[in-house]
Amino acid sequence: MEDESFDPLDDPEERRVLYAALDSFRQYRKAAHFNITHLRRQSFYSLPAPQIDLLSSPPFDLIKTFQAVDEAIDSNANIAEGILELGPVAFGIDSTDDSWHGTAKPNDLDKARSTIRQLYRDWSFEGSPERHAAFSPLLDALSRCLPATPAERHRHRILVPGAGLGRLVFDLCAAGYTVEGNEISYHQLLASNYILNCVQHAGKHRLYPWALGFSNHLTRSAQLQSVAVPDISPAATLQQAQAETESAVHYSERMSMSSGDFCVLYKKPEYRGVFDAVTTCFFIDTAPNVISYIETIRNCLRSGGHWINLGPLLWHFESAPTPAERDKQRGRTVSGGGNGDDGIGEPGSFELSNDEVVALVKHYGFEMVEQKAASPTGYIQDPASMLQNIYRPVFWVARKI
Amino acid sequence: MEDESFDPLDDPEERRVLYAALDSFRQYRKAAHFNITHLRRQSFYSLPAPQIDLLSSPPFDLIKTFQAVDEAIDSNANIAEGILELGPVAFGIDSTDDSWHGTAKPNDLDKARSTIRQLYRDWSFEGSPERHAAFSPLLDALSRCLPATPAERHRHRILVPGAGLGRLVFDLCAAGYTVEGNEISYHQLLASNYILNCVQHAGKHRLYPWALGFSNHLTRSAQLQSVAVPDISPAATLQQAQAETESAVHYSERMSMSSGDFCVLYKKPEYRGVFDAVTTCFFIDTAPNVISYIETIRNCLRSGGHWINLGPLLWHFESAPTPAERDKQRGRTVSGGGNGDDGIGEPGSFELSNDEVVALVKHYGFEMVEQKAASPTGYIQDPASMLQNIYRPVFWVARKI
């Protein structure tokens, strides 16, 4: 992980957010056992005795179900603790310092749970249909916009804002590009760092993505479905890709990750015109002010460079209309590493429809090269569930004039 | 509305819940203007001046959008106030008594908003695909299980638990059956009473089901789509159906609605064996304890009677594992009209998978006559949205042995 020059430990608010993220992985096991199975056992044993007897016996076996869910929680918690083991080291926290223990709030624990679950999408074989629907239009567009042999793709520098658990960054690097991911969430940064840099072999962990939810299952085995994480060995795959693409530059020099607020960082003069393409995947609707995203992308793209976008418009701050509520939702109370004039601390927000976003992108000096409906796809969606949350994302390619 | 013998005004807790429901319709207009447009205008005017200028001009026109959303809120609020006008009268509240003003909590206001929006599903032409997917398997099964000419269908008495806004009850009555709906929510009872008994003509109201949400719209006009409510004149449709079915009993004697907790009411001895069929549509997962539902249905069905079910298993109390939290979510703190030993006040809960529900239904003395996957369908889903929440419900018919 490239940490840039910014050290979160120097900023009291950033330190607090990092500590809470670390602590939430530390508490994953205990919190999940309490919230998911302990409370359910309590509720179960409040039933009339004949019902307890009935539901404890085949074919119901609810007590066995609680045990199986506890085992699933333990398996997921092993991942959380793998992430945690690496975290303090990566951020230069002394191993004897436990002042961050107990700092996670319920919101942080939710984020730890969703980050672990997100490994399904980014780093399991079963998540590949979701990745294919989201990533392949981006990869195809890149090869059209930036024609080059795989060996020469390293000349093209790509930025991936909202890099999340790092799979798109990884796939672009494997394809030969020089890629920089950016991510603001410490939960995601810690998890992607663990998978990309520390997990040496495919299938190291078993993840139970659906075990913590008890609704909409046709069978109990659907709830207890597990997937291997990661689906591939990141290091071995990059080595193999290096050989196949015959890239002139080693993959370790073509992949990096920056942490911090996208707008604060990439509006800086040193980033002016440095990228040949920016790919935004399920990202632009994380903006309270999408103009700020557009200006940032315009700043860091070279003239003639391409912005390739795929996603819906589930505006993340729709339910948090005031800056104070937005900061609370983000887990920050002041701008992260910024001066408070930009990025997180920025006041004002609005939500656009898709045609308005497209008009705004054009207004800020882009021409639309391509626009289409992308394939419908779930986002961390159990394909067996009785409830399918399916996105119908739009896809477009804009060129900086 | 058949009020049974129970008067909610006699019970302090029931009175509180009824008052809060009434007040939430009273506050719909003001609360929606505040939460939806006022806070957004505030956020909008916090933007830098050049951005305000840009976004106030074509093709964005965000100020015009806020005005249009305000008009949509006003149109929806006319429905809320129609419901409200009838409410105190229906429950015998003195028109000079305003002690219930200001009693609604945020949770009650949410319920008023979702009840108004639910009119899309039950009482608009555009909602007919959702109704068709959910209701037609139930109607088809009834005609198979209870063969009779339309004129003689009145001999068959059907119970619809969780009757909501009354459309299934209405459709069954129009088909010639004798139908009783049951509903616990005062929000839903007030709204169904208004539509069924007071709205004289089709298209009296314009409902803007999607106007209050700003996410996942391809165009602004999608957000501002309106539908006519109701799609038909309930009275004229029942008169016409009366003539067409040549039913031997007038529709006004074949349709009724009971209020209160399903289990408390229909476990009573006077309901033993009185129904020929029970239809549960998106209902059984509202149970903290589905055994209680099964026992209740068994009690009120005659021997050989049919239980026809369609729905997913989105267990409503999954996130509220303790009885206190469940009561809070229901809006009740003690059992409504019961003695505290049953229904709402009942401790204990659990969530089953579909195969376990089926096994449990068999265990309690039913045989499964038919089981299949039902058609996928949204539930109050904008068909134009970039996010589709699609259920894949199961359908089954069980016969009381």
Side-chain angles (χ1 to χ4, degrees), chain A residues 265-320:
Chain A
L265 194 54
Y266 293 95
K267 260 184 196 156
K268 288 181 178 171
E270 60 261 40
Y271 274 107
R272 190 162 297 151
V274 303
F275 292 104
D276 298 286
V278 176
T279 59
T280 48
C281 184
F282 282 74
F283 176 70
I284 65 173
D285 48 7
T286 63
N289 179 346
V290 77
I291 290 177
S292 196
Y293 277 22
I294 298 173
E295 288 176 338
T296 306
I297 291 170
R298 187 166 167 77
N299 180 65
C300 68
L301 261 186
R302 68 162 163 82
S303 277
H306 289 83
W307 176 6
I308 304 167
N309 175 65
L310 185 145
L313 291 175
L314 181 61
W315 297 105
H316 286 214
F317 296 101
E318 166 157 13
S319 60

Side-chain angles (χ1 to χ4, degrees), chain A residues 290 313 315 350-354 356-357 360, chain B residues 62 214 220:
Chain A
V290 77
L313 291 175
W315 297 105
F350 54 93
E351 305 103 342
L352 299 183
S353 61
N354 178 60
E356 291 167 350
V357 169
L360 201 62
Chain B
L62 282 195
F214 280 67
R220 201 57 81 176

Side-chain angles (χ1 to χ4, degrees), chain A residues 49 89 172 182 357:
Chain A
V89 183
L172 291 174
N182 168 253
V357 169

